[in-house]
Amino acid sequence: MRAGDKIYKLFYRTVLTGGGNGAIRCWFPGGYRYFDQSDYGVINPDRSWRPVSYMNQNFAARMRAVRPLPTPAVRIPIDLDHVRAERGVYLSVRKKFWMNDAGKLLRLKLGNG
């Protein structure tokens, strides 16, 4: 499995674990890229599928399936009256977010409740 394929797998597992119903990843067309000396894409230049394409198909089916929403172990409130844009949200919760044990499902919640 190529390194890029492992990244896709980890990304999709994270979406599923968090109860997500979909995900978008980039790098659709394959082919050599001169600017970063890589060849990563989910399809070949001739439009045939690469192994990661089948993984995308498998995870898409799993994400569309009806399943219970996981219960978060930790809820972190966000007060939108005192933050601006995504960076402000991150800065307001980063200490609480990174202090939690790895593997716990976190949920960001609007408001103080």
Side-chain angles (χ1 to χ4, degrees):
M1 183 179 289
R2 296 179 305 170
D5 296 352
K6 291 177 185 178
I7 292 169
Y8 269 92
K9 191 171 190 174
L10 178 62
F11 178 79
Y12 288 138
R13 280 186 183 167
T14 302
V15 171
L16 279 171
T17 301
N21 294 104
I24 298 173
R25 294 289 301 156
C26 299
W27 303 293
F28 181 72
Y32 189 75
R33 292 173 177 80
Y34 290 96
F35 65 88
D36 67 357
Q37 291 82 45
S38 72
D39 177 14
Y40 188 73
V42 297
I43 62 166
N44 288 309
D46 68 359
R47 298 185 182 179
S48 61
W49 281 26
R50 292 182 171 181
V52 71
S53 301
Y54 297 98
M55 181 177 23
N56 291 346
Q57 184 181 41
N58 175 274
F59 274 101
R62 292 167 63 189
M63 285 183 207
R64 286 191 309 265
V66 176
R67 59 193 194 282
L69 188 63
T71 303
V74 178
R75 284 182 164 75
I76 300 174
I78 301 172
D79 182 1
L80 293 181
D81 291 334
H82 298 96
V83 297
R84 290 186 139 182
E86 293 89 354
R87 178 169 167 72
V89 171
Y90 172 72
L91 292 174
S92 73
V93 301
R94 68 181 173 187
K95 288 181 184 174
K96 289 180 183 177
F97 182 88
W98 292 112
M99 286 176 61
N100 286 290
D101 294 330
K104 285 187 178 178
L105 182 61
L106 305 175
R107 176 129 328 131
L108 300 178
K109 181 173 178 4
L110 296 179
N112 294 324

Tab-separated table of all heavy atoms in Angstrom, residues 51-113:
chain	number	residue	atom	x	y	z
A	51	PRO	N	-5.665	1.007	-6.897
A	51	PRO	CA	-6.192	0.315	-5.713
A	51	PRO	C	-6.944	1.235	-4.749
A	51	PRO	O	-7.953	0.845	-4.173
A	51	PRO	CB	-4.948	-0.285	-5.060
A	51	PRO	CG	-4.024	-0.513	-6.208
A	51	PRO	CD	-4.260	0.644	-7.142
A	52	VAL	N	-6.491	2.457	-4.579
A	52	VAL	CA	-7.159	3.371	-3.656
A	52	VAL	C	-8.574	3.704	-4.126
A	52	VAL	O	-9.447	4.011	-3.317
A	52	VAL	CB	-6.322	4.656	-3.427
A	52	VAL	CG1	-6.321	5.548	-4.647
A	52	VAL	CG2	-6.812	5.410	-2.198
A	53	SER	N	-8.842	3.616	-5.417
A	53	SER	CA	-10.193	3.873	-5.930
A	53	SER	C	-11.185	2.875	-5.351
A	53	SER	O	-12.318	3.234	-5.026
A	53	SER	CB	-10.215	3.779	-7.456
A	53	SER	OG	-9.325	4.702	-8.029
A	54	TYR	N	-10.763	1.620	-5.220
A	54	TYR	CA	-11.635	0.597	-4.650
A	54	TYR	C	-11.851	0.848	-3.153
A	54	TYR	O	-12.933	0.611	-2.626
A	54	TYR	CB	-11.057	-0.798	-4.900
A	54	TYR	CG	-10.982	-1.110	-6.374
A	54	TYR	CD1	-9.798	-0.956	-7.071
A	54	TYR	CD2	-12.118	-1.527	-7.067
A	54	TYR	CE1	-9.735	-1.222	-8.431
A	54	TYR	CE2	-12.067	-1.792	-8.424
A	54	TYR	CZ	-10.862	-1.631	-9.103
A	54	TYR	OH	-10.813	-1.887	-10.444
A	55	MET	N	-10.807	1.339	-2.478
A	55	MET	CA	-10.946	1.692	-1.069
A	55	MET	C	-11.940	2.844	-0.925
A	55	MET	O	-12.801	2.822	-0.048
A	55	MET	CB	-9.587	2.079	-0.459
A	55	MET	CG	-9.693	2.425	1.012
A	55	MET	SD	-8.168	2.825	1.894
A	55	MET	CE	-7.039	3.343	0.677
A	56	ASN	N	-11.846	3.844	-1.812
A	56	ASN	CA	-12.802	4.957	-1.779
A	56	ASN	C	-14.227	4.434	-1.949
A	56	ASN	O	-15.142	4.850	-1.231
A	56	ASN	CB	-12.506	5.953	-2.897
A	56	ASN	CG	-11.227	6.721	-2.686
A	56	ASN	OD1	-10.660	6.724	-1.605
A	56	ASN	ND2	-10.755	7.361	-3.737
A	57	GLN	N	-14.427	3.517	-2.870
A	57	GLN	CA	-15.746	2.952	-3.127
A	57	GLN	C	-16.266	2.204	-1.894
A	57	GLN	O	-17.420	2.347	-1.511
A	57	GLN	CB	-15.675	2.012	-4.332
A	57	GLN	CG	-17.003	1.444	-4.743
A	57	GLN	CD	-16.860	0.511	-5.933
A	57	GLN	OE1	-15.927	-0.281	-6.005
A	57	GLN	NE2	-17.791	0.622	-6.873
A	58	ASN	N	-15.391	1.440	-1.253
A	58	ASN	CA	-15.777	0.681	-0.063
A	58	ASN	C	-16.184	1.608	1.081
A	58	ASN	O	-17.212	1.418	1.721
A	58	ASN	CB	-14.622	-0.237	0.360
A	58	ASN	CG	-14.907	-0.954	1.653
A	58	ASN	OD1	-14.650	-0.423	2.734
A	58	ASN	ND2	-15.437	-2.156	1.550
A	59	PHE	N	-15.374	2.621	1.338
A	59	PHE	CA	-15.691	3.550	2.429
A	59	PHE	C	-16.933	4.368	2.117
A	59	PHE	O	-17.712	4.682	3.008
A	59	PHE	CB	-14.504	4.458	2.744
A	59	PHE	CG	-13.534	3.855	3.716
A	59	PHE	CD1	-12.356	3.290	3.282
A	59	PHE	CD2	-13.804	3.850	5.079
A	59	PHE	CE1	-11.461	2.725	4.174
A	59	PHE	CE2	-12.914	3.294	5.985
A	59	PHE	CZ	-11.743	2.731	5.527
A	60	ALA	N	-17.147	4.720	0.850
A	60	ALA	CA	-18.353	5.475	0.484
A	60	ALA	C	-19.600	4.676	0.838
A	60	ALA	O	-20.562	5.218	1.391
A	60	ALA	CB	-18.331	5.815	-1.004
A	61	ALA	N	-19.589	3.391	0.543
A	61	ALA	CA	-20.740	2.542	0.875
A	61	ALA	C	-20.944	2.475	2.387
A	61	ALA	O	-22.078	2.529	2.873
A	61	ALA	CB	-20.537	1.146	0.309
A	62	ARG	N	-19.862	2.378	3.134
A	62	ARG	CA	-19.963	2.310	4.600
A	62	ARG	C	-20.478	3.628	5.184
A	62	ARG	O	-21.233	3.640	6.151
A	62	ARG	CB	-18.613	1.939	5.195
A	62	ARG	CG	-18.220	0.505	4.834
A	62	ARG	CD	-16.784	0.198	5.119
A	62	ARG	NE	-16.446	0.285	6.524
A	62	ARG	CZ	-15.206	0.226	6.985
A	62	ARG	NH1	-14.196	0.088	6.163
A	62	ARG	NH2	-14.971	0.314	8.272
A	63	MET	N	-20.086	4.754	4.584
A	63	MET	CA	-20.536	6.054	5.082
A	63	MET	C	-22.011	6.290	4.778
A	63	MET	O	-22.695	6.964	5.544
A	63	MET	CB	-19.695	7.172	4.471
A	63	MET	CG	-18.317	7.272	5.063
A	63	MET	SD	-17.458	8.665	4.347
A	63	MET	CE	-15.778	8.116	4.503
A	64	ARG	N	-22.499	5.753	3.672
A	64	ARG	CA	-23.917	5.930	3.319
A	64	ARG	C	-24.836	5.046	4.147
A	64	ARG	O	-26.031	5.302	4.246
A	64	ARG	CB	-24.127	5.606	1.837
A	64	ARG	CG	-23.602	6.676	0.903
A	64	ARG	CD	-24.068	6.442	-0.522
A	64	ARG	NE	-23.810	5.100	-1.004
A	64	ARG	CZ	-22.752	4.724	-1.718
A	64	ARG	NH1	-21.839	5.604	-2.021
A	64	ARG	NH2	-22.605	3.486	-2.123
A	65	ALA	N	-24.288	3.998	4.726
A	65	ALA	CA	-25.115	3.057	5.489
A	65	ALA	C	-25.676	3.730	6.747
A	65	ALA	O	-25.010	4.548	7.377
A	65	ALA	CB	-24.284	1.841	5.890
A	66	VAL	N	-26.902	3.369	7.087
A	66	VAL	CA	-27.512	3.877	8.319
A	66	VAL	C	-26.822	3.207	9.495
A	66	VAL	O	-26.669	1.988	9.539
A	66	VAL	CB	-29.030	3.568	8.340
A	66	VAL	CG1	-29.645	4.005	9.659
A	66	VAL	CG2	-29.714	4.246	7.169
A	67	ARG	N	-26.369	4.016	10.444
A	67	ARG	CA	-25.684	3.489	11.627
A	67	ARG	C	-25.902	4.462	12.773
A	67	ARG	O	-26.188	5.630	12.552
A	67	ARG	CB	-24.204	3.267	11.345
A	67	ARG	CG	-23.455	4.490	10.919
A	67	ARG	CD	-22.075	4.131	10.339
A	67	ARG	NE	-21.232	5.284	10.222
A	67	ARG	CZ	-21.330	6.199	9.257
A	67	ARG	NH1	-22.243	6.082	8.338
A	67	ARG	NH2	-20.516	7.230	9.219
A	68	PRO	N	-25.797	3.980	13.996
A	68	PRO	CA	-26.014	4.884	15.131
A	68	PRO	C	-24.919	5.946	15.209
A	68	PRO	O	-23.766	5.689	14.889
A	68	PRO	CB	-25.973	3.966	16.347
A	68	PRO	CG	-25.293	2.720	15.893
A	68	PRO	CD	-25.487	2.618	14.404
A	69	LEU	N	-25.311	7.126	15.626
A	69	LEU	CA	-24.357	8.209	15.824
A	69	LEU	C	-23.572	7.937	17.096
A	69	LEU	O	-24.158	7.683	18.143
A	69	LEU	CB	-25.101	9.542	15.941
A	69	LEU	CG	-24.262	10.806	15.974
A	69	LEU	CD1	-23.486	10.962	14.662
A	69	LEU	CD2	-25.147	12.022	16.188
A	70	PRO	N	-22.247	7.954	17.031
A	70	PRO	CA	-21.462	7.679	18.233
A	70	PRO	C	-21.661	8.757	19.299
A	70	PRO	O	-21.866	9.923	18.985
A	70	PRO	CB	-20.016	7.664	17.733
A	70	PRO	CG	-20.029	8.386	16.453
A	70	PRO	CD	-21.408	8.260	15.880
A	71	THR	N	-21.598	8.354	20.546
A	71	THR	CA	-21.725	9.287	21.661
A	71	THR	C	-20.342	9.824	22.006
A	71	THR	O	-19.430	9.045	22.281
A	71	THR	CB	-22.320	8.570	22.889
A	71	THR	OG1	-23.574	8.015	22.520
A	71	THR	CG2	-22.497	9.535	24.036
A	72	PRO	N	-20.171	11.136	21.986
A	72	PRO	CA	-18.855	11.689	22.296
A	72	PRO	C	-18.505	11.522	23.773
A	72	PRO	O	-19.372	11.597	24.637
A	72	PRO	CB	-18.993	13.165	21.928
A	72	PRO	CG	-20.442	13.449	22.042
A	72	PRO	CD	-21.148	12.171	21.678
A	73	ALA	N	-17.242	11.290	24.047
A	73	ALA	CA	-16.771	11.164	25.420
A	73	ALA	C	-16.593	12.552	26.044
A	73	ALA	O	-16.710	12.714	27.247
A	73	ALA	CB	-15.446	10.413	25.448
A	74	VAL	N	-16.307	13.544	25.199
A	74	VAL	CA	-16.033	14.893	25.681
A	74	VAL	C	-16.739	15.897	24.775
A	74	VAL	O	-16.667	15.785	23.558
A	74	VAL	CB	-14.512	15.174	25.660
A	74	VAL	CG1	-14.211	16.601	26.104
A	74	VAL	CG2	-13.753	14.181	26.514
A	75	ARG	N	-17.420	16.852	25.386
A	75	ARG	CA	-18.036	17.946	24.637
A	75	ARG	C	-17.282	19.233	24.979
A	75	ARG	O	-17.079	19.539	26.142
A	75	ARG	CB	-19.507	18.102	25.004
A	75	ARG	CG	-20.396	17.061	24.405
A	75	ARG	CD	-21.855	17.341	24.787
A	75	ARG	NE	-22.823	16.645	23.983
A	75	ARG	CZ	-23.110	15.353	24.069
A	75	ARG	NH1	-22.476	14.607	24.908
A	75	ARG	NH2	-24.027	14.804	23.300
A	76	ILE	N	-16.899	19.955	23.950
A	76	ILE	CA	-16.178	21.210	24.149
A	76	ILE	C	-17.057	22.342	23.610
A	76	ILE	O	-17.334	22.399	22.415
A	76	ILE	CB	-14.821	21.198	23.432
A	76	ILE	CG1	-13.953	20.051	23.965
A	76	ILE	CG2	-14.116	22.539	23.588
A	76	ILE	CD1	-12.650	19.869	23.232
A	77	PRO	N	-17.520	23.236	24.485
A	77	PRO	CA	-18.384	24.331	24.027
A	77	PRO	C	-17.604	25.398	23.262
A	77	PRO	O	-16.428	25.644	23.544
A	77	PRO	CB	-18.962	24.893	25.316
A	77	PRO	CG	-17.998	24.519	26.371
A	77	PRO	CD	-17.336	23.242	25.928
A	78	ILE	N	-18.282	26.004	22.291
A	78	ILE	CA	-17.715	27.104	21.507
A	78	ILE	C	-18.639	28.296	21.652
A	78	ILE	O	-19.838	28.196	21.382
A	78	ILE	CB	-17.611	26.739	20.014
A	78	ILE	CG1	-16.735	25.514	19.814
A	78	ILE	CG2	-17.069	27.913	19.214
A	78	ILE	CD1	-16.755	25.007	18.392
A	79	ASP	N	-18.109	29.421	22.079
A	79	ASP	CA	-18.876	30.648	22.216
A	79	ASP	C	-18.589	31.521	20.992
A	79	ASP	O	-17.569	32.190	20.923
A	79	ASP	CB	-18.482	31.369	23.504
A	79	ASP	CG	-19.272	32.635	23.726
A	79	ASP	OD1	-20.152	32.952	22.891
A	79	ASP	OD2	-19.019	33.319	24.728
A	80	LEU	N	-19.490	31.493	20.005
A	80	LEU	CA	-19.264	32.215	18.756
A	80	LEU	C	-19.369	33.731	18.902
A	80	LEU	O	-19.015	34.463	17.984
A	80	LEU	CB	-20.237	31.723	17.682
A	80	LEU	CG	-20.013	30.285	17.224
A	80	LEU	CD1	-21.024	29.921	16.134
A	80	LEU	CD2	-18.602	30.075	16.713
A	81	ASP	N	-19.836	34.197	20.042
A	81	ASP	CA	-19.899	35.644	20.261
A	81	ASP	C	-18.510	36.241	20.481
A	81	ASP	O	-18.338	37.457	20.404
A	81	ASP	CB	-20.775	35.974	21.478
A	81	ASP	CG	-22.238	35.674	21.218
A	81	ASP	OD1	-22.650	35.691	20.034
A	81	ASP	OD2	-22.963	35.415	22.188
A	82	HIS	N	-17.530	35.401	20.778
A	82	HIS	CA	-16.196	35.907	21.107
A	82	HIS	C	-15.085	35.343	20.227
A	82	HIS	O	-13.917	35.417	20.599
A	82	HIS	CB	-15.887	35.611	22.586
A	82	HIS	CG	-16.837	36.281	23.509
A	82	HIS	ND1	-17.949	35.646	24.020
A	82	HIS	CD2	-16.898	37.552	23.977
A	82	HIS	CE1	-18.629	36.483	24.782
A	82	HIS	NE2	-18.012	37.648	24.780
A	83	VAL	N	-15.436	34.777	19.084
A	83	VAL	CA	-14.409	34.269	18.165
A	83	VAL	C	-14.719	34.733	16.745
A	83	VAL	O	-15.849	35.066	16.418
A	83	VAL	CB	-14.306	32.721	18.195
A	83	VAL	CG1	-13.894	32.233	19.552
A	83	VAL	CG2	-15.604	32.082	17.754
A	84	ARG	N	-13.687	34.709	15.916
A	84	ARG	CA	-13.843	35.072	14.511
A	84	ARG	C	-13.275	33.960	13.636
A	84	ARG	O	-12.144	33.547	13.810
A	84	ARG	CB	-13.104	36.367	14.189
A	84	ARG	CG	-13.719	37.575	14.793
A	84	ARG	CD	-13.008	38.773	14.285
A	84	ARG	NE	-14.001	39.790	14.008
A	84	ARG	CZ	-13.718	40.957	13.508
A	84	ARG	NH1	-12.490	41.240	13.181
A	84	ARG	NH2	-14.659	41.836	13.304
A	85	ALA	N	-14.064	33.497	12.726
A	85	ALA	CA	-13.664	32.519	11.711
A	85	ALA	C	-13.104	31.239	12.326
A	85	ALA	O	-13.129	31.042	13.538
A	85	ALA	CB	-12.671	33.148	10.736
A	86	GLU	N	-12.636	30.345	11.472
A	86	GLU	CA	-12.169	29.037	11.920
A	86	GLU	C	-10.965	29.143	12.850
A	86	GLU	O	-10.862	28.415	13.826
A	86	GLU	CB	-11.801	28.150	10.714
A	86	GLU	CG	-12.972	27.768	9.855
A	86	GLU	CD	-13.248	28.785	8.752
A	86	GLU	OE1	-12.593	29.842	8.722
A	86	GLU	OE2	-14.140	28.531	7.934
A	87	ARG	N	-10.053	30.036	12.539
A	87	ARG	CA	-8.864	30.191	13.391
A	87	ARG	C	-9.263	30.598	14.807
A	87	ARG	O	-8.722	30.091	15.782
A	87	ARG	CB	-7.907	31.214	12.791
A	87	ARG	CG	-6.679	31.453	13.654
A	87	ARG	CD	-5.625	32.259	12.920
A	87	ARG	NE	-4.591	32.764	13.791
A	87	ARG	CZ	-3.643	32.044	14.375
A	87	ARG	NH1	-3.606	30.749	14.167
A	87	ARG	NH2	-2.740	32.600	15.153
A	88	GLY	N	-10.225	31.493	14.933
A	88	GLY	CA	-10.692	31.914	16.247
A	88	GLY	C	-11.321	30.767	17.023
A	88	GLY	O	-11.118	30.644	18.235
A	89	VAL	N	-12.085	29.931	16.329
A	89	VAL	CA	-12.670	28.758	16.988
A	89	VAL	C	-11.553	27.858	17.489
A	89	VAL	O	-11.552	27.429	18.647
A	89	VAL	CB	-13.608	27.980	16.033
A	89	VAL	CG1	-14.022	26.656	16.645
A	89	VAL	CG2	-14.830	28.826	15.694
A	90	TYR	N	-10.585	27.563	16.627
A	90	TYR	CA	-9.473	26.698	17.038
A	90	TYR	C	-8.732	27.286	18.242
A	90	TYR	O	-8.476	26.576	19.221
A	90	TYR	CB	-8.494	26.466	15.886
A	90	TYR	CG	-7.250	25.752	16.332
A	90	TYR	CD1	-7.287	24.406	16.672
A	90	TYR	CD2	-6.042	26.432	16.480
A	90	TYR	CE1	-6.155	23.748	17.132
A	90	TYR	CE2	-4.915	25.787	16.938
A	90	TYR	CZ	-4.972	24.444	17.261
A	90	TYR	OH	-3.857	23.801	17.716
A	91	LEU	N	-8.397	28.555	18.174
A	91	LEU	CA	-7.646	29.172	19.270
A	91	LEU	C	-8.431	29.138	20.579
A	91	LEU	O	-7.847	29.004	21.653
A	91	LEU	CB	-7.266	30.611	18.913
A	91	LEU	CG	-6.234	30.758	17.791
A	91	LEU	CD1	-6.045	32.228	17.431
A	91	LEU	CD2	-4.911	30.105	18.157
A	92	SER	N	-9.767	29.220	20.499
A	92	SER	CA	-10.567	29.236	21.722
A	92	SER	C	-10.701	27.859	22.373
A	92	SER	O	-10.987	27.771	23.563
A	92	SER	CB	-11.954	29.822	21.441
A	92	SER	OG	-12.747	28.925	20.705
A	93	VAL	N	-10.494	26.787	21.598
A	93	VAL	CA	-10.689	25.439	22.167
A	93	VAL	C	-9.428	24.581	22.164
A	93	VAL	O	-9.438	23.466	22.676
A	93	VAL	CB	-11.806	24.667	21.413
A	93	VAL	CG1	-13.114	25.425	21.480
A	93	VAL	CG2	-11.417	24.361	19.981
A	94	ARG	N	-8.349	25.081	21.635
A	94	ARG	CA	-7.176	24.216	21.425
A	94	ARG	C	-6.641	23.578	22.706
A	94	ARG	O	-6.246	22.412	22.687
A	94	ARG	CB	-6.070	24.958	20.697
A	94	ARG	CG	-5.435	26.064	21.500
A	94	ARG	CD	-4.365	26.761	20.721
A	94	ARG	NE	-3.889	27.910	21.468
A	94	ARG	CZ	-3.060	28.772	20.985
A	94	ARG	NH1	-2.598	28.640	19.772
A	94	ARG	NH2	-2.685	29.792	21.719
A	95	LYS	N	-6.611	24.296	23.808
A	95	LYS	CA	-6.081	23.705	25.036
A	95	LYS	C	-6.936	22.539	25.497
A	95	LYS	O	-6.427	21.465	25.816
A	95	LYS	CB	-5.976	24.757	26.139
A	95	LYS	CG	-4.864	25.740	25.912
A	95	LYS	CD	-4.777	26.752	27.036
A	95	LYS	CE	-3.709	27.783	26.727
A	95	LYS	NZ	-3.685	28.863	27.707
A	96	LYS	N	-8.248	22.714	25.517
A	96	LYS	CA	-9.146	21.630	25.920
A	96	LYS	C	-9.078	20.473	24.923
A	96	LYS	O	-9.099	19.309	25.302
A	96	LYS	CB	-10.589	22.130	26.016
A	96	LYS	CG	-10.827	23.056	27.181
A	96	LYS	CD	-12.272	23.505	27.218
A	96	LYS	CE	-12.512	24.489	28.339
A	96	LYS	NZ	-13.884	24.980	28.347
A	97	PHE	N	-8.994	20.811	23.647
A	97	PHE	CA	-8.947	19.792	22.609
A	97	PHE	C	-7.711	18.902	22.762
A	97	PHE	O	-7.811	17.687	22.782
A	97	PHE	CB	-8.948	20.462	21.223
A	97	PHE	CG	-8.942	19.494	20.082
A	97	PHE	CD1	-10.133	19.006	19.579
A	97	PHE	CD2	-7.752	19.079	19.510
A	97	PHE	CE1	-10.145	18.116	18.515
A	97	PHE	CE2	-7.750	18.191	18.453
A	97	PHE	CZ	-8.948	17.704	17.962
A	98	TRP	N	-6.546	19.497	22.880
A	98	TRP	CA	-5.300	18.723	22.929
A	98	TRP	C	-5.038	18.102	24.290
A	98	TRP	O	-4.197	17.224	24.409
A	98	TRP	CB	-4.122	19.594	22.493
A	98	TRP	CG	-4.226	19.936	21.040
A	98	TRP	CD1	-4.461	21.165	20.500
A	98	TRP	CD2	-4.132	19.035	19.929
A	98	TRP	NE1	-4.524	21.087	19.130
A	98	TRP	CE2	-4.328	19.795	18.753
A	98	TRP	CE3	-3.906	17.662	19.812
A	98	TRP	CZ2	-4.295	19.223	17.488
A	98	TRP	CZ3	-3.884	17.095	18.547
A	98	TRP	CH2	-4.073	17.873	17.409
A	99	MET	N	-5.744	18.496	25.334
A	99	MET	CA	-5.564	17.901	26.660
A	99	MET	C	-6.296	16.568	26.791
A	99	MET	O	-6.053	15.814	27.725
A	99	MET	CB	-6.040	18.857	27.751
A	99	MET	CG	-5.084	20.022	27.964
A	99	MET	SD	-5.687	21.224	29.158
A	99	MET	CE	-5.824	20.221	30.627
A	100	ASN	N	-7.201	16.254	25.880
A	100	ASN	CA	-7.966	15.016	25.962
A	100	ASN	C	-7.116	13.824	25.560
A	100	ASN	O	-6.206	13.930	24.735
A	100	ASN	CB	-9.203	15.107	25.065
A	100	ASN	CG	-10.240	15.995	25.683
A	100	ASN	OD1	-10.842	15.629	26.674
A	100	ASN	ND2	-10.414	17.186	25.132
A	101	ASP	N	-7.439	12.680	26.136
A	101	ASP	CA	-6.719	11.449	25.816
A	101	ASP	C	-6.958	11.058	24.374
A	101	ASP	O	-8.063	11.200	23.856
A	101	ASP	CB	-7.185	10.295	26.725
A	101	ASP	CG	-6.811	10.521	28.170
A	101	ASP	OD1	-5.781	11.176	28.410
A	101	ASP	OD2	-7.544	10.056	29.054
A	102	ALA	N	-5.939	10.531	23.744
A	102	ALA	CA	-6.064	10.063	22.369
A	102	ALA	C	-7.108	8.959	22.297
A	102	ALA	O	-7.241	8.145	23.196
A	102	ALA	CB	-4.718	9.549	21.875
A	103	GLY	N	-7.860	8.965	21.233
A	103	GLY	CA	-8.850	7.927	21.033
A	103	GLY	C	-10.237	8.279	21.527
A	103	GLY	O	-11.201	7.596	21.205
A	104	LYS	N	-10.368	9.347	22.315
A	104	LYS	CA	-11.691	9.754	22.781
A	104	LYS	C	-12.373	10.565	21.685
A	104	LYS	O	-11.753	11.394	21.034
A	104	LYS	CB	-11.595	10.612	24.042
A	104	LYS	CG	-11.279	9.849	25.288
A	104	LYS	CD	-11.385	10.758	26.490
A	104	LYS	CE	-11.109	10.004	27.766
A	104	LYS	NZ	-11.161	10.902	28.933
A	105	LEU	N	-13.649	10.297	21.504
A	105	LEU	CA	-14.420	11.051	20.527
A	105	LEU	C	-14.811	12.392	21.134
A	105	LEU	O	-15.399	12.457	22.215
A	105	LEU	CB	-15.679	10.276	20.121
A	105	LEU	CG	-16.546	10.945	19.067
A	105	LEU	CD1	-15.781	11.133	17.755
A	105	LEU	CD2	-17.796	10.125	18.822
A	106	LEU	N	-14.451	13.461	20.441
A	106	LEU	CA	-14.748	14.808	20.905
A	106	LEU	C	-15.865	15.398	20.064
A	106	LEU	O	-15.999	15.086	18.890
A	106	LEU	CB	-13.516	15.706	20.770
A	106	LEU	CG	-12.239	15.240	21.440
A	106	LEU	CD1	-11.105	16.184	21.108
A	106	LEU	CD2	-12.430	15.144	22.933
A	107	ARG	N	-16.642	16.258	20.664
A	107	ARG	CA	-17.679	16.969	19.916
A	107	ARG	C	-17.596	18.441	20.287
A	107	ARG	O	-17.626	18.777	21.463
A	107	ARG	CB	-19.052	16.413	20.237
A	107	ARG	CG	-20.150	17.178	19.572
A	107	ARG	CD	-21.181	16.408	18.767
A	107	ARG	NE	-20.733	15.229	18.101
A	107	ARG	CZ	-21.363	14.051	18.184
A	107	ARG	NH1	-22.421	13.901	18.943
A	107	ARG	NH2	-20.935	13.026	17.515
A	108	LEU	N	-17.472	19.292	19.270
A	108	LEU	CA	-17.508	20.715	19.502
A	108	LEU	C	-18.980	21.126	19.518
A	108	LEU	O	-19.747	20.729	18.651
A	108	LEU	CB	-16.749	21.467	18.404
A	108	LEU	CG	-15.274	21.109	18.274
A	108	LEU	CD1	-14.644	21.873	17.125
A	108	LEU	CD2	-14.519	21.351	19.558
A	109	LYS	N	-19.375	21.896	20.507
A	109	LYS	CA	-20.799	22.254	20.681
A	109	LYS	C	-20.935	23.759	20.736
A	109	LYS	O	-20.254	24.428	21.495
A	109	LYS	CB	-21.322	21.630	21.978
A	109	LYS	CG	-22.783	21.912	22.231
A	109	LYS	CD	-23.266	21.132	23.423
A	109	LYS	CE	-24.691	21.361	23.799
A	109	LYS	NZ	-25.499	22.191	22.987
A	110	LEU	N	-21.829	24.293	19.902
A	110	LEU	CA	-22.098	25.720	19.932
A	110	LEU	C	-22.806	26.089	21.217
A	110	LEU	O	-23.697	25.384	21.658
A	110	LEU	CB	-22.952	26.133	18.730
A	110	LEU	CG	-22.307	25.939	17.370
A	110	LEU	CD1	-23.275	26.357	16.279
A	110	LEU	CD2	-21.021	26.719	17.255
A	111	GLY	N	-22.401	27.188	21.813
A	111	GLY	CA	-23.004	27.635	23.068
A	111	GLY	C	-22.249	27.102	24.263
A	111	GLY	O	-21.252	26.419	24.151
A	112	ASN	N	-22.748	27.398	25.422
A	112	ASN	CA	-22.066	27.005	26.655
A	112	ASN	C	-22.640	25.750	27.285
A	112	ASN	O	-22.150	25.292	28.293
A	112	ASN	CB	-22.107	28.161	27.666
A	112	ASN	CG	-21.307	29.344	27.190
A	112	ASN	OD1	-20.270	29.154	26.558
A	112	ASN	ND2	-21.783	30.540	27.420
A	113	GLY	N	-23.696	25.174	26.733
A	113	GLY	CA	-24.330	24.024	27.340
A	113	GLY	C	-23.769	22.706	26.972
A	113	GLY	O	-22.906	22.519	26.211
